[in-house]
Amino acid sequence: MTEYLRMSGIYWGLTAIELIGNLERMNRQEVLDFIKVCQDGSGGISASTGHDPHLLYTLSAVQVRPCHALHICPLTLQRGGF
């Protein structure tokens, strides 16, 4: 029932975890694999498996990838900006 929230929830959850300094506790490969499974042939990404791709969930996935793959979060730049 909450599948349509999954991709955005991953983004917001990982952002919160990064802000408290515990991102390394998350399973990075599992998150990246889930994003890959949700990617459509058109390149768009859906909220969860079996859903249609949508701009909102594509944005969430694009924001998660650098945050989780590179251990940096777009919201927490060293210079203090966004």
Side-chain angles (χ1 to χ4, degrees), residues 6 10 14 19-20 22-23 26 28 35 39-40 47 51 53 56 60 63-65 67-69 73-74 76-77 81:
R6 197 156 293 157
I10 289 172
L14 289 174
L19 290 173
I20 61 172
N22 286 322
L23 189 60
M26 300 303 297
R28 181 180 331 146
I35 292 171
Q39 190 167 17
D40 185 69
H51 290 255
L56 174 65
S60 292
Q63 290 172 320
V64 165
R65 288 191 69 119
C67 179
H68 211 56
C73 218
T76 56
L77 299 176

Side-chain angles (χ1 to χ4, degrees), residues 8 13 21 23-24 44 56-57 62 67 70 72 74:
S8 294
L23 189 60
E24 70 281 349
L56 174 65
Y57 308 118
V62 168
C67 179
L70 303 176
I72 59 168

